[in-house]
Amino acid sequence: TDLYRIKELNGDINKRSGIANDNIVNYEKTKLDLEDAKLLKEVKEDLVKYREARTVVIELGNQNKNAEAYQYYLDHVLVPSEKFSKNLKELSDYNVKQAKKLDKENDEKFALSSQILLVLILGAILLASVLGWLVARGIAEPLKEVTTHLNEMAKGDFSQDVPRHITGRDDEIGEMAKGMDFLDNSMG
């Protein structure tokens, strides 16, 4: 019936109004800049005017004063409705613009972070290479001297001592050099 349909439509209008109200409240909770706040204020003012005029049209329609409701709609609802839609679109466009700006800033920060990370990785590789070279040199040079001394001993020359900077080490190479020095002294 018509009464049932009217109640159904009114319920739908009220439900949509509630959703719009919740959206506005949630939007107001976000961090608004001055332009955002100005546009939102205009949207809310237009929405109030639209809803007031819409309520009159609905009441006239419920009373079967359709011609009067239509004329009231043309005179009082259409302009606030269009103004509300226009301001809502401006607010939306502003937010899209702000989102693109933030996206660009984030891309720039990400690029900078990537460059910093690359520099850190290259620095770590360079540092590891230098440290590796120093460690290898610290092992290879003494081993080379020990090998040279062993070759001399193999030729029967026991007259030379193992260099003191090698026997003085507190690691495996130093222990090996001390053993060679002992062997050298025992044989010579």
Side-chain angles (χ1 to χ4, degrees):
T1 65
D2 286 341
L3 283 178
Y4 176 76
R5 183 69 180 138
I6 290 171
K7 283 183 181 181
E8 187 178 288
L9 291 172
N10 284 334
D12 185 56
I13 289 170
N14 290 333
K15 178 182 171 188
R16 290 172 189 266
S17 293
I19 292 170
N21 290 342
D22 291 343
N23 289 339
I24 289 173
V25 168
N26 289 331
Y27 189 79
E28 288 175 319
K29 291 178 184 177
T30 64
K31 185 178 177 182
L32 303 176
D33 62 20
L34 293 175
E35 183 66 17
D36 242 347
K38 180 185 127 229
L39 290 170
L40 182 60
K41 181 180 178 212
E42 290 174 12
V43 165
K44 286 172 62 176
E45 289 170 357
D46 294 336
L47 183 59
V48 168
K49 291 175 188 173
Y50 163 75
R51 284 181 175 170
E52 288 171 354
R54 180 193 65 196
T55 300
V56 172
V57 169
I58 291 171
E59 288 174 8
L60 289 171
N62 288 342
Q63 297 168 13
N64 274 338
K65 297 180 180 177
N66 294 335
E68 198 175 326
Y70 181 68
Q71 190 58 48
Y72 195 87
Y73 171 81
L74 293 177
D75 294 342
H76 300 284
V77 176
L78 193 57
V79 172
S81 172
E82 289 172 351
K83 190 173 177 200
F84 167 75
S85 294
K86 176 186 159 279
N87 285 334
L88 189 60
K89 179 160 180 9
E90 282 182 33
L91 181 61
S92 174
D93 291 345
Y94 178 75
N95 279 286
V96 167
K97 179 182 164 189
Q98 292 301 98
K100 286 180 180 178
K101 179 181 171 187
L102 285 174
D103 190 42
K104 182 180 176 189
E105 289 173 9
N106 287 338
D107 286 347
E108 290 169 357
K109 288 177 183 177
F110 178 76
L112 178 62
S113 297
S114 296
Q115 290 171 348
I116 290 171
L117 182 61
L118 181 62
V119 167
L120 290 175
I121 289 171
L122 292 175
I125 290 170
L126 179 64
L127 180 63
S129 298
V130 168
L131 289 176
W133 178 77
L134 289 174
V135 168
R137 184 172 164 234
I139 294 171
E141 290 295 322
L143 281 177
K144 184 177 174 185
E145 289 184 50
V146 168
T147 303
T148 301
H149 189 74
L150 275 173
N151 286 334
E152 292 300 316
M153 288 174 63
K155 293 177 188 173
D157 182 5
F158 296 101
S159 64
Q160 300 201 14
D161 290 335
V162 177
R164 295 289 160 226
H165 70 275
I166 297 176
T167 58
R169 289 175 61 130
D170 290 330
D171 59 7
E172 290 79 6
I173 294 173
E175 291 297 316
M176 184 174 65
K178 288 174 193 165
M180 282 179 39
D181 201 31
F182 178 75
L183 177 66
D184 192 18
N185 289 336
S186 297
M187 304 278 297

